[in-house]
Amino acid sequence: MARNASLSGFHEWLPQERLVEQHVLDTLRRTFELHGFSSVETRAVETVGQLLRKGEIDKEVYALSRLQDDDGNAAASAKADPSQLALHFDLTVPFARYVVENAGYLSFPFRRYQIQKVWRGERPQEGRAREFTQADIDVVADGELPFRYDVELALVIAEALSALPIPAFKLRINNRKLAEGFYRGIGLEDTAGVLRSIDKLEKIGADKVAELLQTELGATAEQAAKALALASIRTEDTSFVGQVRALGVSNELMEEGLNELEQVIAAAVKSAPGSVVADLSIARGLDYYTGTVYETVLVGHEQLGSICSGGRYDALASKGSRKFPGVGLSIGVTRLVSRILSQEFATASRSVPTAVLVTLADDDSWTSAQEVAAALRARGISTEVAAKADKFGKQIKYADKRGIPFVWFTDDDGAHQVKDIRSGEQLPADPNSWMPPAEDLKPQILTA
Amino acid sequence: MARNASLSGFHEWLPQERLVEQHVLDTLRRTFELHGFSSVETRAVETVGQLLRKGEIDKEVYALSRLQDDDGNAAASAKADPSQLALHFDLTVPFARYVVENAGYLSFPFRRYQIQKVWRGERPQEGRAREFTQADIDVVADGELPFRYDVELALVIAEALSALPIPAFKLRINNRKLAEGFYRGIGLEDTAGVLRSIDKLEKIGADKVAELLQTELGATAEQAAKALALASIRTEDTSFVGQVRALGVSNELMEEGLNELEQVIAAAVKSAPGSVVADLSIARGLDYYTGTVYETVLVGHEQLGSICSGGRYDALASKGSRKFPGVGLSIGVTRLVSRILSQEFATASRSVPTAVLVTLADDDSWTSAQEVAAALRARGISTEVAAKADKFGKQIKYADKRGIPFVWFTDDDGAHQVKDIRSGEQLPADPNSWMPPAEDLKPQILTA
């Protein structure tokens, strides 16, 4: 981790670091599949028109152009054409398009996970890369999506995060209906504007937000105080309901949101006690959320930002009058892996998959050495064969330098021995039955 | 496969197709790791200067530009600046850069596999996509790379391809030193030009190539005939050596190439009999190959083009006077998977990972159903819980529609039963011990 990326914002891992990333990805895949999510990948590119349909993110998009067009002319400027191709900046918008296009081939409610890279042309900073991997789960229905999925997805994500080598986390949950209904109930109609201001709470503080609400949205001091009072509510159980009621606001949409959030929190607290908070300050920037919203921080690493966010979106995908409401969450894999590596929450026990190096007594024995290697590989033992019949000391040094724990010797009579180069212990062995200790078979991920 | 990509040249698989692709990717990963290759990923983007350093591929590159720069101005034209970012078009050039940048952290010879998407702005056609996945293995040395790796990599690739659900393949191998030495030996000095013409053999035929050699490269009719005679040699054993010698040309570089190719073919024929051919017409377009070159076709699907190509490159990566010669091969995963799916060489037994749906007797039983599901998942059984307490018939229909083989019932007394919805058989079961038959645990990949 002493290395700097040669291109700012674009991480590349060394083999030993990549093993930690693979462990994270494999763990997420296993958890998602155990919960019945199918794997889907979408293309890396969308049309600019598709990408900019929702949200205010146009500054972050990387547009594509061919260096030369088919006639060899210089490519046109990247600006403006909605049919132009650009790299996706998240996996939700492409997934919504995929569902609409393939609706006839999917059975609903459709559950999928998607683990891919995304790109954003932002200024790089700690926790913010220009290329990063996201791991998403979503459930999308054709018509109506039962609210219970908002609960289920919180549970799946809590289980997935709990399986990773990371510190304790807090899954902060809110509900847009609750917030919007409350704002309407106190007479603030530009609910998107209020949400945008509330979203700045952590950055600029309550006083500045109160000022914004009054100067930009025409709120009275009392309205601003009420909006801030709502945003200050944080409970690790369903007691937030009473606290909201105590603010004395009445609104139908608010009641719907209160009821939904109560259900999510009640169920999530039960299966992931200590990891879930009702946090009524959570707004989430993207415009497409319509109900439950989620954000997640690592305890003690809050400045890293959210490592897992999402929400319910009832209007992102549609085909004529057919609606495909969904709910989903996205784990910021690169952000998590960067932190795991820099804080050494986990390390790989070695950098190579190889458990055994088969040495060569002479150059002609390469072919028989391949047969020994094939016998070992048939039992899942990762094996390399030396490329040259250097002196044994040099061959052992090669294994040592690469972190390969065992070297294999075959003498002229065909007798086999295997040596653990850490302990120096050397014993007779049969290529058709020998196994290394379980902890040496593959690189282990060691947690701090 | 009746579907058309909504963006020409950009494939997207349905969940059931994606399972076949995952099977291919998992199989390759397992094989590569068993042979001691470490996983590496490089960023999707390189600078244009880096990408265009070798080979004539500038028409195919997708350049990136931010839709708006930081001041909100329209982005500049994509043309010309070598520091501009562009998407990589293969994994070899980025890997060479990675090795040079991280040389101090790697131990050599460095063995890595890399499975990632690449992009080329070509006109899409059968077997040619604009976004596709490649699976590469390479070995790179610091200084000298023993020739034996050229042999080893052919063996690893043959083993990897043999493990896939594809028809018989032919790995065609040639050696640039052999060809270049031979051309020099007959007095043709523009060896790159001759190779380019020979590369067109399959497309335009021998007569046209002979014409090209004479009109464009100033060859005599006799020189052209000799070059074509060399390119017509194809043997499934080392008898090509005699056939080359019979052409009566003598050249030192040619002898070196002959010797190398003989070693590769002798070893490869031995471990993959019937799958390896010495084919002296193979040229490979990219300029960076300097010795062994490989190409692979599926028998009966030759018009698909090469599904696995590569070669030895001695001068692709360097750092001052330090050289990093390498040898590697790249499998065209998307091309292979497209063919596997369209020809139904393999299909997934179901489209979802889910083996069991836990039904709900009433809405309040959702939480206890989650406990049943957790008990099943703890033994690796992929399980979903119904979201609503619909009539059992409707819940079973949901499982049937999704291809989930088992449904689980818990009655008011807490007695459990599990039903195989294909046979209708229903039996008492314990959530802490019941297992589905092995073939139902996960989606199986069924080969034709």
Side-chain angles (χ1 to χ4, degrees):
Chain A
M1 290 303 295
R3 301 164 310 121
N4 281 320
S6 62
L7 208 57
S8 174
F10 293 86
H11 289 277
E12 290 186 322
W13 306 125
L14 292 173
Q16 198 149 359
E17 298 169 333
R18 168 68 177 157
L19 284 167
V20 172
E21 183 179 51
Q22 281 186 306
H23 171 76
V24 168
L25 295 174
D26 290 344
T27 302
L28 294 177
R29 174 180 172 183
R30 192 171 55 247
T31 307
F32 297 158
E33 289 180 354
L34 277 175
H35 286 265
F37 291 83
S38 291
S39 174
V40 157
E41 287 196 341
T42 58
R43 48 177 150 86
V45 306
E46 299 290 332
T47 60
V48 168
Q50 183 71 28
L51 288 180
L52 303 188
R53 219 156 45 88
K54 300 270 177 184
E56 299 171 41
I57 42 77
D58 57 334
K59 279 185 103 162
E60 304 171 0
V61 173
Y62 278 119
L64 297 191
S65 51
R66 291 172 60 193
L67 259 197
Q68 303 196 306
D69 69 20
D70 290 332
D71 304 319
N73 300 322
S77 150
K79 185 75 179 146
D81 178 3
S83 72
Q84 197 195 348
L85 301 184
L87 294 174
H88 57 210
F89 58 84
D90 77 357
L91 302 176
T92 310
V93 170
F95 174 58
R97 180 205 35 88
Y98 175 94
V99 166
V100 170
E101 282 181 9
N102 297 295
Y105 301 90
L106 306 173
S107 78
F108 293 95
F110 178 52
R111 307 159 72 83
R112 82 87 177 78
Y113 74 91
Q114 185 169 352
I115 302 179
Q116 282 184 260
K117 289 185 177 141
V118 304
W119 295 268
R120 295 184 192 177
E122 304 182 45
R123 284 188 192 283
Q125 48 181 288
E126 240 250 90
R128 224 175 256 283
R130 293 184 152 182
E131 173 179 73
F132 53 100
T133 300
Q134 291 194 325
D136 283 30
I137 50 172
D138 287 82
V139 179
V140 164
D142 181 1
E144 288 275 317
L145 181 70
F147 170 72
R148 202 147 240 164
Y149 287 107
D150 294 43
V151 184
E152 191 203 337
L153 263 67
L155 301 189
V156 177
I157 278 293
E159 187 176 322
L161 292 174
S162 300
L164 299 181
I166 53 173
F169 59 88
K170 291 276 185 199
L171 181 53
R172 301 167 169 171
I173 312 180
N174 193 7
N175 189 296
R176 283 240 171 132
K177 292 178 191 169
L178 195 175
E180 287 185 31
F182 183 92
Y183 301 150
R184 292 226 169 84
I186 59 172
L188 293 173
E189 291 298 326
D190 180 3
T191 57
V194 180
L195 276 172
R196 261 199 304 277
S197 306
I198 293 294
D199 209 12
K200 295 176 182 155
L201 249 178
E202 265 187 69
K203 241 187 229 164
I204 64 174
D207 290 351
K208 287 257 168 70
V209 169
E211 208 180 297
L212 272 184
L213 289 170
Q214 292 173 69
T215 55
E216 296 197 356
L217 294 158
T220 63
E222 197 196 355
Q223 285 172 324
K226 280 244 164 159
L228 283 165
L230 183 75
S232 73
I233 296 174
R234 258 178 211 75
T235 68
E236 301 214 356
D237 52 26
T238 55
S239 62
F240 71 90
V241 179
Q243 295 188 29
V244 173
R245 292 252 156 74
L247 295 174
V249 176
S250 118
N251 175 281
E252 207 176 308
L253 188 65
M254 182 192 86
E255 286 301 327
E256 203 182 314
L258 258 183
N259 175 39
E260 289 187 0
L261 187 57
E262 185 177 16
Q263 284 187 58
V264 179
I265 296 295
V269 161
K270 205 171 154 189
S271 55
S275 296
V276 176
V277 198
D279 183 334
L280 275 56
S281 71
I282 300 302
R284 300 303 308 150
L286 288 171
D287 276 339
Y288 51 68
Y289 296 123
T290 52
T292 308
V293 283
Y294 314 89
E295 241 181 54
T296 317
V297 291
L298 288 188
V299 175
H301 303 263
E302 289 79 4
Q303 80 295 352
L304 187 61
S306 178
I307 51 132
C308 174
S309 313
R312 156 75 75 144
Y313 44 91
D314 279 337
L316 187 59
S318 60
K319 195 173 188 173
S321 63
R322 210 168 151 193
K323 300 263 179 248
F324 300 95
V327 60
L329 288 113
S330 175
I331 297 176
V333 173
T334 301
R335 187 176 282 193
L336 267 182
V337 170
S338 299
R339 191 49 65 116
I340 291 170
L341 293 172
S342 69
Q343 302 291 307
E344 296 182 353
F345 293 141
T347 51
S349 60
R350 61 179 190 250
S351 72
V352 293
T354 322
V356 180
L357 172 74
V358 179
T359 63
L360 298 183
D362 54 63
D363 272 320
D364 291 339
S365 63
W366 190 78
T367 307
S368 59
Q370 288 291 343
E371 283 158 19
V372 171
L376 295 173
R377 288 183 197 123
R379 288 195 309 289
I381 305 167
S382 174
T383 306
E384 290 178 39
V385 174
K388 283 197 299 184
D390 288 321
K391 284 185 183 154
F392 282 130
K394 200 169 168 190
Q395 294 186 57
I396 293 169
K397 206 174 150 195
Y398 165 85
D400 192 32
K401 213 178 52 168
R402 278 173 65 69
I404 300 171
F406 295 95
V407 289
W408 192 278
F409 303 98
T410 308
D411 72 16
D412 291 345
D413 305 328
H416 301 283
Q417 294 213 311
V418 66
K419 177 186 186 123
D420 182 329
I421 61 173
R422 297 157 304 185
S423 67
E425 189 183 41
Q426 184 166 335
L427 292 168
D430 179 346
N432 294 305
S433 61
W434 178 84
M435 283 296 288
E439 67 272 21
D440 288 330
L441 184 61
K442 293 183 178 189
Q444 301 290 302
I445 301 302
L446 312 168
T447 53
Chain B
M1 291 303 294
R3 301 165 311 123
N4 281 320
S6 62
L7 208 57
S8 175
F10 293 86
H11 290 277
E12 291 185 323
W13 307 125
L14 292 172
Q16 197 149 0
E17 298 169 334
R18 168 69 178 156
L19 284 167
V20 172
E21 182 178 53
Q22 281 186 307
H23 170 76
V24 168
L25 297 173
D26 290 345
T27 302
L28 295 176
R29 174 180 172 182
R30 191 170 56 246
T31 306
F32 297 157
E33 290 179 354
L34 277 175
H35 286 264
F37 291 83
S38 291
S39 174
V40 157
E41 286 196 341
T42 57
R43 48 177 151 86
V45 306
E46 299 290 333
T47 60
V48 168
Q50 184 70 29
L51 287 181
L52 303 189
R53 219 157 45 89
K54 301 269 175 184
E56 299 171 40
I57 42 77
D58 56 333
K59 278 188 103 162
E60 303 171 1
V61 173
Y62 278 118
L64 298 191
S65 51
R66 291 172 59 195
L67 259 197
Q68 303 197 305
D69 69 20
D70 290 332
D71 303 320
N73 300 322
S77 150
K79 183 75 179 146
D81 179 2
S83 72
Q84 196 195 349
L85 302 183
L87 295 175
H88 57 209
F89 59 83
D90 77 357
L91 302 176
T92 310
V93 171
F95 174 58
R97 186 219 10 103
Y98 175 95
V99 166
V100 171
E101 281 181 9
N102 296 295
Y105 301 90
L106 305 174
S107 78
F108 292 95
F110 179 52
R111 307 158 71 84
R112 82 89 177 76
Y113 74 91
Q114 185 169 351
I115 301 178
Q116 282 185 262
K117 290 186 176 139
V118 304
W119 294 268
R120 295 185 193 176
E122 305 183 44
R123 283 188 192 285
Q125 46 180 288
E126 241 251 90
R128 225 175 255 285
R130 293 185 150 182
E131 173 180 72
F132 53 100
T133 300
Q134 290 193 326
D136 283 30
I137 51 172
D138 287 82
V139 179
V140 164
D142 181 1
E144 287 276 316
L145 182 70
F147 171 72
R148 201 147 242 165
Y149 288 107
D150 294 43
V151 183
E152 192 203 337
L153 263 66
L155 302 188
V156 178
I157 279 292
E159 187 176 322
L161 291 175
S162 300
L164 300 181
I166 54 173
F169 59 87
K170 291 277 182 195
L171 181 53
R172 302 168 169 172
I173 313 181
N174 193 7
N175 190 295
R176 283 240 173 133
K177 293 178 190 168
L178 195 175
E180 287 184 31
F182 182 92
Y183 302 150
R184 292 224 170 87
I186 58 172
L188 294 174
E189 291 298 324
D190 180 2
T191 57
V194 181
L195 276 172
R196 261 198 305 277
S197 305
I198 294 294
D199 210 11
K200 295 177 182 153
L201 251 179
E202 264 187 71
K203 242 187 229 161
I204 64 175
D207 290 351
K208 288 256 169 68
V209 170
E211 206 180 299
L212 271 184
L213 289 171
Q214 294 172 68
T215 54
E216 296 195 357
L217 295 158
T220 64
E222 198 194 356
Q223 285 171 324
K226 280 244 163 158
L228 283 165
L230 183 76
S232 72
I233 295 174
R234 256 177 212 77
T235 69
E236 300 214 358
D237 53 27
T238 56
S239 61
F240 71 91
V241 179
Q243 295 188 30
V244 173
R245 292 251 157 74
L247 295 175
V249 176
S250 115
N251 175 282
E252 208 176 306
L253 188 64
M254 182 192 86
E255 285 301 325
E256 203 180 316
L258 258 183
N259 175 39
E260 288 186 0
L261 187 57
E262 185 177 15
Q263 284 186 59
V264 179
I265 296 294
V269 161
K270 204 170 155 190
S271 56
S275 297
V276 175
V277 198
D279 183 333
L280 275 56
S281 71
I282 300 303
R284 299 305 308 149
L286 288 171
D287 275 340
Y288 51 70
Y289 295 123
T290 52
T292 308
V293 283
Y294 314 89
E295 241 181 54
T296 317
V297 291
L298 288 188
V299 176
H301 302 264
E302 289 79 4
Q303 80 296 352
L304 187 61
S306 177
I307 51 128
C308 175
S309 314
R312 156 75 75 145
Y313 44 92
D314 278 339
L316 187 59
S318 60
K319 195 173 186 173
S321 62
R322 210 168 152 193
K323 301 262 179 247
F324 301 94
V327 59
L329 287 113
S330 175
I331 297 177
V333 174
T334 301
R335 187 175 281 194
L336 267 183
V337 170
S338 298
R339 190 49 63 118
I340 291 170
L341 293 172
S342 70
Q343 302 290 307
E344 295 182 353
F345 293 142
T347 51
S349 60
R350 61 180 191 249
S351 71
V352 293
T354 323
V356 180
L357 172 75
V358 179
T359 62
L360 298 183
D362 54 62
D363 272 318
D364 291 340
S365 62
W366 190 79
T367 306
S368 59
Q370 287 292 342
E371 284 158 18
V372 170
L376 295 173
R377 289 183 196 121
R379 289 194 308 290
I381 305 168
S382 173
T383 306
E384 291 178 38
V385 174
K388 283 197 299 184
D390 288 321
K391 285 185 184 154
F392 281 130
K394 198 170 170 190
Q395 296 185 57
I396 293 171
K397 206 174 151 196
Y398 165 85
D400 191 33
K401 212 177 54 165
R402 278 173 65 69
I404 301 171
F406 296 95
V407 290
W408 192 279
F409 304 98
T410 308
D411 71 16
D412 291 345
D413 305 329
H416 300 283
Q417 295 214 311
V418 67
K419 177 186 185 126
D420 182 330
I421 61 173
R422 298 157 304 185
S423 68
E425 189 183 41
Q426 183 167 335
L427 293 167
D430 179 346
N432 294 305
S433 62
W434 178 82
M435 283 295 288
E439 68 271 20
D440 288 329
L441 184 60
K442 293 183 177 187
Q444 301 291 303
I445 301 302
L446 311 169
T447 53

